Amino acid sequence: GFSDNRMQFIAIGAPLPFMGLSGIGKPGLAFSALFEGDGDFIYRSIDPSNGSIYTKKMDAEKNMVLALSYGEKVFDEDVDIEGYDAAITQYMGLSVKYLKSRLLDTYSASSFLFDAGYLITETKIGLSLGASISNMGGKLKYVSKEESLPTILRLGASYFRPTIMDQTLLFSLEGDIYTNEKLKALKF
């Protein structure tokens, strides 16, 4: 049941000691691990010949996701946009993930997945725009049927404005598009 759910997560990241591919700054590298379990499942069967009950306790579902991520600043300059001197900074990142899933201690499946993201900021007016795609390329096959994982395209925007006494105000908007399921969501 829900009360038996378990989740553990650990991550570590650091800047690398060399310049990134863009030559602007030092990139970052991170590793993360997620372990998740959906509780126990108790299987009971009755032997029709003698009426005895056989009971077996199994993990309902266990998942493990390992990720290696790389990100760096790819652009950082002032740009003249029709007379306005915009301070534009751009970032890009990539992740490779390994997913292993096991159902009822019997059926297992695994897959490699990829994520990518892009962020552009204009620091003078406090505007940020971002886009990412998650879970590209992965499918799970437990027995005979192969299922695609939910590929999610996310688009977001935020506006950050300082107010009084070192306080800030942040407005944000996010749109999620689940490409395989043809679902869309909008968040404020």
Side-chain angles (χ1 to χ4, degrees):
F2 289 118
S3 62
D4 296 337
N5 285 4
R6 301 173 306 275
M7 186 176 292
Q8 299 165 332
F9 178 78
I10 187 167
I12 186 167
L16 295 174
F18 51 82
M19 295 298 282
L21 299 173
S22 66
I24 294 176
K26 294 181 179 179
L29 188 68
F31 172 79
S32 65
L34 172 76
F35 303 96
E36 185 263 339
D38 288 339
D40 296 325
F41 177 81
I42 298 174
Y43 173 77
R44 291 187 180 100
S45 65
I46 299 173
D47 186 342
S49 63
N50 61 12
S52 64
I53 298 174
Y54 168 75
T55 302
K56 182 178 180 183
K57 185 177 180 181
M58 299 179 271
D59 286 322
E61 180 178 4
K62 282 183 144 181
N63 297 303
M64 175 187 70
V65 181
L66 304 175
L68 183 64
S69 304
Y70 173 90
E72 72 172 82
K73 186 186 295 187
V74 295
F75 185 85
D76 189 13
E77 291 183 18
D78 289 345
V79 177
D80 182 30
I81 302 173
E82 296 194 19
Y84 175 71
D85 190 29
I88 304 290
T89 306
Q90 298 176 42
Y91 304 88
M92 290 185 75
L94 299 169
S95 289
V96 176
K97 298 187 292 190
Y98 173 72
L99 167 64
K100 183 176 182 182
S101 181
R102 188 166 177 85
L103 299 175
L104 301 175
D105 288 339
T106 306
Y107 309 105
S108 63
S110 62
S111 182
F112 281 97
L113 308 163
F114 302 94
D115 299 346
Y118 172 79
L119 174 68
I120 182 170
T121 63
E122 203 296 327
T123 55
K124 290 182 183 176
I125 60 173
L127 183 64
S128 295
L129 303 170
S132 71
I133 189 159
S134 301
N135 299 335
M136 289 188 301
K139 293 184 178 189
L140 289 179
K141 182 178 177 181
Y142 287 104
V143 179
S144 60
K145 187 175 179 185
E146 196 170 62
E147 294 286 335
S148 294
L149 292 165
T151 301
I152 307 166
L153 174 63
R154 287 193 173 98
L155 304 171
S158 70
Y159 176 69
F160 177 88
R161 199 75 193 145
T163 60
I164 59 171
M165 298 179 4
D166 292 330
Q167 301 297 311
T168 57
L169 189 61
L170 175 69
F171 296 99
S172 65
L173 178 67
E174 177 187 331
D176 296 345
I177 301 168
Y178 295 80
T179 60
N180 298 340
E181 292 84 8
K182 309 286 189 266
L183 297 173
K184 297 176 185 170
L186 188 62
K187 301 173 188 173
F188 296 95

PDB file of all heavy atoms in Angstrom, residues 71-87:
ATOM      1  N   GLY A  71      26.526  19.918 -17.567  1.00  0.00           N
ATOM      2  CA  GLY A  71      25.951  21.197 -17.959  1.00  0.00           C
ATOM      3  C   GLY A  71      27.006  22.281 -18.004  1.00  0.00           C
ATOM      4  O   GLY A  71      28.008  22.219 -17.288  1.00  0.00           O
ATOM      5  N   GLU A  72      26.766  23.273 -18.853  1.00  0.00           N
ATOM      6  CA  GLU A  72      27.708  24.378 -18.932  1.00  0.00           C
ATOM      7  C   GLU A  72      27.051  25.627 -19.497  1.00  0.00           C
ATOM      8  O   GLU A  72      25.998  25.571 -20.135  1.00  0.00           O
ATOM      9  CB  GLU A  72      28.927  24.006 -19.766  1.00  0.00           C
ATOM     10  CG  GLU A  72      28.694  23.896 -21.259  1.00  0.00           C
ATOM     11  CD  GLU A  72      30.008  23.706 -22.005  1.00  0.00           C
ATOM     12  OE1 GLU A  72      30.493  22.564 -22.062  1.00  0.00           O
ATOM     13  OE2 GLU A  72      30.531  24.710 -22.520  1.00  0.00           O
ATOM     14  N   LYS A  73      27.703  26.754 -19.216  1.00  0.00           N
ATOM     15  CA  LYS A  73      27.298  28.028 -19.782  1.00  0.00           C
ATOM     16  C   LYS A  73      27.821  28.074 -21.211  1.00  0.00           C
ATOM     17  O   LYS A  73      28.993  27.813 -21.463  1.00  0.00           O
ATOM     18  CB  LYS A  73      27.914  29.175 -18.973  1.00  0.00           C
ATOM     19  CG  LYS A  73      27.445  30.545 -19.372  1.00  0.00           C
ATOM     20  CD  LYS A  73      28.201  31.640 -18.632  1.00  0.00           C
ATOM     21  CE  LYS A  73      27.947  31.615 -17.157  1.00  0.00           C
ATOM     22  NZ  LYS A  73      28.536  32.771 -16.451  1.00  0.00           N
ATOM     23  N   VAL A  74      26.933  28.377 -22.179  1.00  0.00           N
ATOM     24  CA  VAL A  74      27.347  28.361 -23.578  1.00  0.00           C
ATOM     25  C   VAL A  74      27.383  29.748 -24.209  1.00  0.00           C
ATOM     26  O   VAL A  74      27.894  29.912 -25.309  1.00  0.00           O
ATOM     27  CB  VAL A  74      26.441  27.422 -24.420  1.00  0.00           C
ATOM     28  CG1 VAL A  74      26.612  25.980 -23.974  1.00  0.00           C
ATOM     29  CG2 VAL A  74      24.992  27.832 -24.350  1.00  0.00           C
ATOM     30  N   PHE A  75      26.844  30.763 -23.511  1.00  0.00           N
ATOM     31  CA  PHE A  75      26.852  32.122 -24.062  1.00  0.00           C
ATOM     32  C   PHE A  75      26.720  33.103 -22.906  1.00  0.00           C
ATOM     33  O   PHE A  75      25.896  32.902 -22.016  1.00  0.00           O
ATOM     34  CB  PHE A  75      25.689  32.302 -25.042  1.00  0.00           C
ATOM     35  CG  PHE A  75      25.669  33.625 -25.751  1.00  0.00           C
ATOM     36  CD1 PHE A  75      26.406  33.815 -26.898  1.00  0.00           C
ATOM     37  CD2 PHE A  75      24.915  34.669 -25.264  1.00  0.00           C
ATOM     38  CE1 PHE A  75      26.385  35.035 -27.559  1.00  0.00           C
ATOM     39  CE2 PHE A  75      24.881  35.892 -25.919  1.00  0.00           C
ATOM     40  CZ  PHE A  75      25.626  36.073 -27.070  1.00  0.00           C
ATOM     41  N   ASP A  76      27.517  34.167 -22.923  1.00  0.00           N
ATOM     42  CA  ASP A  76      27.436  35.182 -21.871  1.00  0.00           C
ATOM     43  C   ASP A  76      27.976  36.494 -22.415  1.00  0.00           C
ATOM     44  O   ASP A  76      29.165  36.765 -22.333  1.00  0.00           O
ATOM     45  CB  ASP A  76      28.230  34.729 -20.643  1.00  0.00           C
ATOM     46  CG  ASP A  76      28.006  35.627 -19.443  1.00  0.00           C
ATOM     47  OD1 ASP A  76      27.070  36.450 -19.466  1.00  0.00           O
ATOM     48  OD2 ASP A  76      28.769  35.497 -18.464  1.00  0.00           O
ATOM     49  N   GLU A  77      27.072  37.285 -23.005  1.00  0.00           N
ATOM     50  CA  GLU A  77      27.484  38.559 -23.591  1.00  0.00           C
ATOM     51  C   GLU A  77      26.336  39.556 -23.530  1.00  0.00           C
ATOM     52  O   GLU A  77      25.176  39.179 -23.391  1.00  0.00           O
ATOM     53  CB  GLU A  77      27.885  38.377 -25.064  1.00  0.00           C
ATOM     54  CG  GLU A  77      29.149  37.600 -25.271  1.00  0.00           C
ATOM     55  CD  GLU A  77      29.533  37.510 -26.736  1.00  0.00           C
ATOM     56  OE1 GLU A  77      29.025  38.314 -27.553  1.00  0.00           O
ATOM     57  OE2 GLU A  77      30.333  36.627 -27.072  1.00  0.00           O
ATOM     58  N   ASP A  78      26.682  40.816 -23.661  1.00  0.00           N
ATOM     59  CA  ASP A  78      25.670  41.844 -23.842  1.00  0.00           C
ATOM     60  C   ASP A  78      25.320  41.900 -25.329  1.00  0.00           C
ATOM     61  O   ASP A  78      26.196  41.857 -26.188  1.00  0.00           O
ATOM     62  CB  ASP A  78      26.183  43.206 -23.385  1.00  0.00           C
ATOM     63  CG  ASP A  78      26.311  43.298 -21.870  1.00  0.00           C
ATOM     64  OD1 ASP A  78      25.748  42.426 -21.183  1.00  0.00           O
ATOM     65  OD2 ASP A  78      26.958  44.229 -21.373  1.00  0.00           O
ATOM     66  N   VAL A  79      24.017  41.961 -25.601  1.00  0.00           N
ATOM     67  CA  VAL A  79      23.531  41.948 -26.972  1.00  0.00           C
ATOM     68  C   VAL A  79      22.661  43.179 -27.177  1.00  0.00           C
ATOM     69  O   VAL A  79      21.788  43.476 -26.362  1.00  0.00           O
ATOM     70  CB  VAL A  79      22.714  40.660 -27.250  1.00  0.00           C
ATOM     71  CG1 VAL A  79      22.140  40.670 -28.652  1.00  0.00           C
ATOM     72  CG2 VAL A  79      23.571  39.430 -27.029  1.00  0.00           C
ATOM     73  N   ASP A  80      22.892  43.888 -28.273  1.00  0.00           N
ATOM     74  CA  ASP A  80      22.077  45.057 -28.597  1.00  0.00           C
ATOM     75  C   ASP A  80      20.815  44.593 -29.329  1.00  0.00           C
ATOM     76  O   ASP A  80      20.878  44.053 -30.420  1.00  0.00           O
ATOM     77  CB  ASP A  80      22.868  46.019 -29.482  1.00  0.00           C
ATOM     78  CG  ASP A  80      22.080  47.283 -29.807  1.00  0.00           C
ATOM     79  OD1 ASP A  80      21.242  47.692 -28.974  1.00  0.00           O
ATOM     80  OD2 ASP A  80      22.299  47.839 -30.904  1.00  0.00           O
ATOM     81  N   ILE A  81      19.649  44.786 -28.669  1.00  0.00           N
ATOM     82  CA  ILE A  81      18.361  44.425 -29.263  1.00  0.00           C
ATOM     83  C   ILE A  81      17.582  45.719 -29.476  1.00  0.00           C
ATOM     84  O   ILE A  81      16.954  46.234 -28.553  1.00  0.00           O
ATOM     85  CB  ILE A  81      17.578  43.449 -28.363  1.00  0.00           C
ATOM     86  CG1 ILE A  81      18.396  42.187 -28.122  1.00  0.00           C
ATOM     87  CG2 ILE A  81      16.232  43.111 -28.984  1.00  0.00           C
ATOM     88  CD1 ILE A  81      17.792  41.229 -27.125  1.00  0.00           C
ATOM     89  N   GLU A  82      17.667  46.258 -30.681  1.00  0.00           N
ATOM     90  CA  GLU A  82      16.990  47.496 -31.068  1.00  0.00           C
ATOM     91  C   GLU A  82      17.191  48.607 -30.043  1.00  0.00           C
ATOM     92  O   GLU A  82      16.251  49.211 -29.532  1.00  0.00           O
ATOM     93  CB  GLU A  82      15.503  47.243 -31.311  1.00  0.00           C
ATOM     94  CG  GLU A  82      15.279  46.302 -32.466  1.00  0.00           C
ATOM     95  CD  GLU A  82      13.841  46.295 -32.934  1.00  0.00           C
ATOM     96  OE1 GLU A  82      13.098  47.232 -32.628  1.00  0.00           O
ATOM     97  OE2 GLU A  82      13.489  45.342 -33.632  1.00  0.00           O
ATOM     98  N   GLY A  83      18.460  48.857 -29.687  1.00  0.00           N
ATOM     99  CA  GLY A  83      18.801  49.939 -28.778  1.00  0.00           C
ATOM    100  C   GLY A  83      18.843  49.553 -27.310  1.00  0.00           C
ATOM    101  O   GLY A  83      19.322  50.318 -26.478  1.00  0.00           O
ATOM    102  N   TYR A  84      18.360  48.376 -26.964  1.00  0.00           N
ATOM    103  CA  TYR A  84      18.410  47.924 -25.576  1.00  0.00           C
ATOM    104  C   TYR A  84      19.617  47.005 -25.410  1.00  0.00           C
ATOM    105  O   TYR A  84      19.794  46.043 -26.154  1.00  0.00           O
ATOM    106  CB  TYR A  84      17.128  47.169 -25.198  1.00  0.00           C
ATOM    107  CG  TYR A  84      17.179  46.571 -23.810  1.00  0.00           C
ATOM    108  CD1 TYR A  84      17.123  47.379 -22.680  1.00  0.00           C
ATOM    109  CD2 TYR A  84      17.319  45.204 -23.635  1.00  0.00           C
ATOM    110  CE1 TYR A  84      17.189  46.839 -21.410  1.00  0.00           C
ATOM    111  CE2 TYR A  84      17.390  44.644 -22.365  1.00  0.00           C
ATOM    112  CZ  TYR A  84      17.325  45.472 -21.264  1.00  0.00           C
ATOM    113  OH  TYR A  84      17.389  44.932 -20.010  1.00  0.00           O
ATOM    114  N   ASP A  85      20.465  47.293 -24.425  1.00  0.00           N
ATOM    115  CA  ASP A  85      21.664  46.510 -24.170  1.00  0.00           C
ATOM    116  C   ASP A  85      21.309  45.349 -23.233  1.00  0.00           C
ATOM    117  O   ASP A  85      21.346  45.482 -22.010  1.00  0.00           O
ATOM    118  CB  ASP A  85      22.743  47.399 -23.556  1.00  0.00           C
ATOM    119  CG  ASP A  85      24.089  46.728 -23.489  1.00  0.00           C
ATOM    120  OD1 ASP A  85      24.362  45.858 -24.343  1.00  0.00           O
ATOM    121  OD2 ASP A  85      24.875  47.073 -22.585  1.00  0.00           O
ATOM    122  N   ALA A  86      20.955  44.195 -23.786  1.00  0.00           N
ATOM    123  CA  ALA A  86      20.504  43.036 -23.014  1.00  0.00           C
ATOM    124  C   ALA A  86      21.690  42.203 -22.549  1.00  0.00           C
ATOM    125  O   ALA A  86      22.616  41.947 -23.310  1.00  0.00           O
ATOM    126  CB  ALA A  86      19.573  42.178 -23.856  1.00  0.00           C
ATOM    127  N   ALA A  87      21.668  41.797 -21.280  1.00  0.00           N
ATOM    128  CA  ALA A  87      22.700  40.925 -20.714  1.00  0.00           C
ATOM    129  C   ALA A  87      22.191  39.483 -20.820  1.00  0.00           C
ATOM    130  O   ALA A  87      21.455  39.002 -19.967  1.00  0.00           O
ATOM    131  CB  ALA A  87      22.978  41.290 -19.273  1.00  0.00           C
TER     132      ALA A  87
END
